[in-house]
Structure formats: structure tokens, C-alpha cells
Amino acid sequence: MNEHIARQLREAAEAHQPDRARMLARVQRGAAGPAARHRARSGLRSWPKAALAGLATAGILATGGFAVASIVRTQPPSDTTTTAPSAPSPTVAPSPTPSAPPAATAPAQAPAPATSAPAGPRPTPSASSRAQNGPLWSEGSIDAHSTVYWGQNNLTLRTAQPLTSLTVELRIAQTGDVRDTGNWRTLPSDDFTVTAQESGGALVYRWVLKPGRTVPAGQHEFAGQYNHATGVRSSANDSYRVDAQSAGGSASVGGGFAPAR
């Protein structure tokens, strides 16, 4: 048993790394204290005490080594956890703040090239080109073949009953060099008295049904033709009027001329 304890003490002492400086200081303090108090006594009596102090110190060292060895044997080594270094976070470059787009500069607008008079007329439309009254229905329009030098105003007349009296009048406003170049109608020319003359600032075409003649029910056309000053002519002041008599009584319609379609 003593040999076993001695072996353990030796192994503990070999494994233990004491703090020699601290222990030596403690021994020196322990030895110096009693010697200072009994310095006057004989050296024979102080020697056993010094020896005892040395033995006590050795015992303390042995006991400490044994305790350390026991702790080393009984306590399992702690697992050392190695933490892998975390991958460095990627540095995100701040997105540049978009600058305001430069103000758009409107391209210089090329001046519109000078053009000659358009090939076709664009007369001012009339809001009252159509009319209806009793058996009569009418519509005035500018002929599609009119040009910047010449024009034709058309009148479409419908009657639901035969007419025993009829007067058709077209007024072409004098807009500059307006001159008569002809007229026509779809009814027989021998049934009408036709005149074309300037009156009240307009070129007036008039068709008057001769006495004893009759206009049958249906659709009929009347047209006045004229030259005018070069350019687009406005028909805003042109007008027409129709007065008729039928078995149902008298009726009248009138209006302006719409643009060509």
C-alpha cells in the first residue's frame, strides 16, 4: 500500500509543474517567522523546528502533487471544438445613385416648305346643308371635281309627290373673280327657264318650272359651275333655296353646301 502511494506521488510530482518561486517564498516566510521570535534561544532547539518545517513543506508538495495527479486522472479531457472561420461576407458595393437624365432637347423644327395652292378645294362646311319639309328633302354639296381655279355647287332634291310648281335658286358668294361657266339639271331643259346673273354680291343661278309642266316624284339634281380666284375657295356664304307646290300644298327647303366627299 505504501509503495503504491509512493509511486502515485512520484508520478504526480513528475507530472506536476509547481510554481517554485511562490513555494520557495512561502517556505522562507514560514521559516523566518518562528526564527525571528526565538532568535535568542539556542541553535540546537531551532534546528528540529527547521527540519520539521522542511518536512512539512515536502509533505505539502507531495500532497499537492497527488491531488493534481488525481484530478488529471479522473477528469476527462475536454473536447476541443474548432470553429471553422466563417467565410468573409462579400462586400456589396453601394449601387450608384442614378442621376437625373438630361433634359431632352427638342430638335429644331424645320420650317414648313412653302407650298403652292392645294390641288383640291377645302370649302368651309355648312351645318345646314340638309333640309326637309313636307314632301321635300334637300342636300347641298361642293362637287368633288372642283379645283383651285374652278368650282361646282350641287343640289340634290327629292320629292315624295309630283310638283306642279318649282323654283330652285343657288347663290355663289362673290369671293373673288367668281364668273359663270355653265349649269345643268337632270330634268328636261325645256321644262325650265334658266338664268345666271350677279345680284347682291353673289352669282345667282335660278331654275323656274314653266307653267303646265310637272316635276315627277323622285330624286333630281341641279348644279351651278363657275371660275374663281386661284386658291382654296370658302363656301361658307353660299346657299340654296327651293320653293315648290304639290297636291298637298306648298313647301320650302334651304341650306348651305357641305365640302366634297
Side-chain angles (χ1 to χ4, degrees):
M1 182 71 178
N2 292 336
E3 184 179 358
H4 177 68
I5 294 174
R7 188 173 62 250
Q8 288 184 345
L9 289 175
R10 282 196 301 272
E11 291 174 356
E14 291 173 357
H16 181 62
Q17 298 294 332
D19 189 346
R20 298 179 181 276
R22 291 183 61 188
M23 290 182 179
L24 182 59
R26 291 180 62 185
V27 170
Q28 290 176 352
R29 286 197 304 271
R37 288 194 301 270
H38 303 285
R39 187 174 298 177
R41 297 184 182 184
S42 64
L44 293 176
R45 296 181 61 183
S46 62
W47 181 87
K49 292 182 179 180
L52 290 175
L55 292 175
T57 302
I60 292 170
L61 293 174
T63 304
F66 178 74
V68 171
S70 299
I71 294 172
V72 170
R73 283 198 307 273
T74 58
Q75 184 176 0
S78 60
D79 295 335
T80 302
T81 304
T82 303
T83 304
S86 59
S89 301
T91 302
V92 179
S95 59
T97 302
S99 59
T105 302
Q109 185 176 4
T115 57
S116 59
R122 290 178 295 175
T124 304
S126 171
S128 58
S129 60
R130 293 183 181 180
Q132 185 171 3
N133 182 19
L136 301 181
W137 180 94
S138 61
E139 180 180 16
S141 64
I142 302 299
D143 192 86
H145 297 94
S146 299
T147 68
V148 294
Y149 310 105
W150 174 89
Q152 176 175 301
N153 288 26
N154 299 329
L155 173 64
T156 300
L157 177 65
R158 297 175 188 169
T159 176
Q161 299 176 358
L163 304 177
T164 57
S165 173
L166 176 63
T167 300
V168 177
E169 183 178 279
L170 305 185
R171 297 182 64 88
I172 312 302
Q174 183 56 259
T175 55
D177 296 335
V178 175
R179 298 289 184 269
D180 170 41
T181 59
N183 64 85
W184 58 266
R185 86 267 92 217
T186 55
L187 292 169
S189 58
D190 293 340
D191 291 351
F192 290 88
T193 300
V194 182
T195 60
Q197 59 184 7
E198 291 193 21
S199 174
L203 174 61
V204 180
Y205 294 93
R206 183 178 289 111
W207 293 265
V208 179
L209 184 64
K210 295 178 179 180
R213 307 294 176 93
T214 302
V215 175
Q219 178 172 307
H220 311 288
E221 303 288 338
F222 297 83
Q225 301 172 333
Y226 52 91
N227 287 335
H228 60 77
T230 303
V232 178
R233 179 182 176 277
S234 172
S235 61
N237 295 321
D238 295 354
S239 63
Y240 69 86
R241 180 179 176 84
V242 177
D243 297 302
Q245 183 75 36
S246 67
S250 61
S252 299
V253 290
F257 293 88
R261 291 178 295 181

